[in-house]
Amino acid sequence: MKKIILLLTAVSVILSASACSSPQKSESLSVTGMYFDTVVTVEAWSTDRETLEHCMEMCGTYEQMLSAHIETSEVSAINRAEGKPVTVSEETADLIELGCSYGRLSGGLFDITIAPASNLWNFHNSENPCIPDAGELSEAVSHIDYRCVQVEGCTVTLTDPEAAIDLGGIAKGYIADRIKEYLESEGVEHALINLGGNMLAVGGRYDGTDFQIGIQKPFAQTGTVLAAVSVSDQSVVSSGNYERYFEQNGKIYHHILDPGTGYPADTGLYQVTIISDSSAQGDALSTTCFLLGLDKGMELIQSLDGVEAVFVTSDMEIHVSSENIPVQIL
């Protein structure tokens, strides 16, 4: 989970589905569900429960489409096809193409075909973690290459039959963007979407102030804040080596894998937080910049319009891409 903590939240007024009265405009409604193996929460002002419940339905639909861990998903169908063309929904095709575009931008560091390697690691099994066999991992890495993904309309083909797609590095951000679009189409002007730590704001808070988003302190107790970012109508997404990891023989093995080796990346960073308009962009860039390291990651961010970043190095120093970032060091 990308661990970002909302510091300042409005008082949530939770109404039962059978409630007859509408909330005051200055009050918020919120709904929570479990999707993508994480907690999803949407809080909004001046709306109704039906609108928010539809957001949860959207999460369920996208999970069934995009999860590589659900056998009936469209992504799983691609992975099982052994190189044969697979027809998928327009949204799945669009997201795969978007993932490949970040593969090109990152020079292959962000790679949606990381699945052959990531499937060999089990960062969810904290009781009995193990390092994959070096030979198996080397074989898996030979099948990681986003360039083997071909998208023509709604048809997706893996030119390497042993390649496999995992959209975990971008799917939550993409879904958050779609939920925001839906809320805006329903007239919602103030909301906060939290997909397992991918934070996306619709406007600002109802009282006219910005949302204050806390950045988790690496390797500290959950809820320990290192810094806070003020945002309105923007996304805040973090990637870090403290999110899913295990320690063996004094060495930390984390879930952000180098697609060139299949092993956890060691770039001198603990965390990267991206502030941008698009949550999908923040999702992909936070992983990309972590893999690039401080200097090259900073160079990439400063070459992009409308994107800022906060880097935390392994000595717990904070580096920002611009003095204009509304970040408060705590």
Side-chain angles (χ1 to χ4, degrees):
M1 178 186 301
K2 297 188 174 180
K3 295 183 179 175
I4 307 174
I5 307 98
L6 178 64
L7 290 180
L8 301 179
T9 58
V11 177
S12 296
V13 181
I14 311 297
L15 300 181
S16 68
S18 61
C20 298
S21 59
S22 300
Q24 297 289 329
K25 286 189 175 182
S26 59
E27 297 173 341
S28 68
L29 290 174
S30 69
V31 291
T32 299
M34 258 321 261
Y35 303 93
F36 328 109
D37 196 31
T38 192
V39 178
V40 174
T41 302
V42 179
E43 181 180 19
W45 285 256
S46 298
T47 190
D48 53 50
R49 176 156 294 277
E50 183 179 358
T51 298
L52 294 188
E53 287 178 344
H54 182 71
C55 295
M56 296 295 105
E57 293 170 6
M58 291 174 66
C59 288
T61 298
Y62 282 120
E63 183 176 37
Q64 293 299 316
M65 288 168 51
L66 303 174
S67 174
H69 305 292
I70 295 177
E71 292 185 359
T72 55
S73 75
E74 294 182 348
V75 169
S76 291
I78 297 168
N79 293 343
R80 289 196 310 267
E82 298 181 338
K84 298 182 181 66
V86 177
T87 300
V88 298
S89 64
E90 183 177 352
E91 286 187 290
T92 297
D94 287 347
L95 180 53
I96 290 173
E97 197 153 24
L98 181 63
C100 289
S101 74
Y102 283 105
R104 293 188 290 272
L105 178 69
S106 66
L109 281 178
F110 182 88
D111 199 316
I112 62 172
T113 64
I114 193 69
S118 61
N119 288 342
L120 297 177
W121 294 88
N122 187 359
F123 294 102
H124 295 287
N125 186 359
S126 57
E127 295 182 0
N128 189 29
C130 64
I131 302 169
D133 175 79
E136 289 184 9
L137 199 54
S138 178
E139 170 63 19
V141 166
S142 71
H143 301 292
I144 298 173
D145 189 345
Y146 71 93
R147 292 171 296 183
C148 79
V149 182
Q150 294 185 348
V151 182
E152 297 182 4
C154 291
T155 300
V156 180
T157 306
L158 299 179
T159 59
D160 178 353
E162 296 187 55
I165 292 173
D166 186 340
L167 297 173
I170 195 171
K172 286 193 297 181
Y174 175 86
I175 296 162
D177 289 336
R178 302 291 79 75
I179 291 174
K180 179 177 180 177
E181 288 176 355
Y182 165 70
L183 289 173
E184 290 178 331
S185 74
E186 293 296 309
V188 175
E189 298 179 348
H190 309 280
L192 191 67
I193 302 160
N194 179 356
L195 267 71
N198 284 50
M199 310 294 294
L200 179 59
V202 179
R205 291 164 58 87
Y206 185 83
D207 62 6
T209 61
D210 290 343
F211 288 103
Q212 301 293 313
I213 308 297
I215 299 174
Q216 169 73 26
K217 183 176 181 179
F219 297 106
Q221 182 177 355
T222 300
T224 304
V225 176
L226 181 68
V229 181
S230 300
V231 295
S232 177
D233 214 38
Q234 284 187 301
S235 163
V236 182
V237 182
S238 290
S239 286
N241 60 356
Y242 56 91
E243 294 163 350
R244 292 195 302 274
Y245 72 95
F246 64 85
E247 189 171 348
Q248 196 168 104
N249 298 323
K251 182 177 175 62
I252 288 177
Y253 295 88
H254 60 86
H255 76 292
I256 305 176
L257 304 180
D258 182 337
T261 67
Y263 286 97
D266 183 6
T267 59
L269 292 174
Y270 274 175
Q271 180 193 80
V272 179
T273 297
I274 301 294
I275 302 101
S276 61
D277 293 337
S278 161
S279 191
Q281 182 184 41
D283 224 354
L285 288 179
S286 62
T287 300
T288 297
C289 289
F290 186 95
L291 291 164
L292 282 170
L294 176 60
D295 292 339
K296 291 183 178 179
M298 189 75 78
E299 183 180 346
L300 173 62
I301 293 302
Q302 292 175 342
S303 73
L304 301 173
D305 293 332
V307 182
E308 301 290 359
V310 178
F311 296 80
V312 181
T313 49
S314 56
D315 57 4
M316 295 300 290
E317 290 292 321
I318 295 176
H319 306 260
V320 296
S321 59
S322 168
E323 295 180 355
N324 297 325
I325 300 179
V327 58
Q328 178 184 2
I329 311 302
L330 302 178

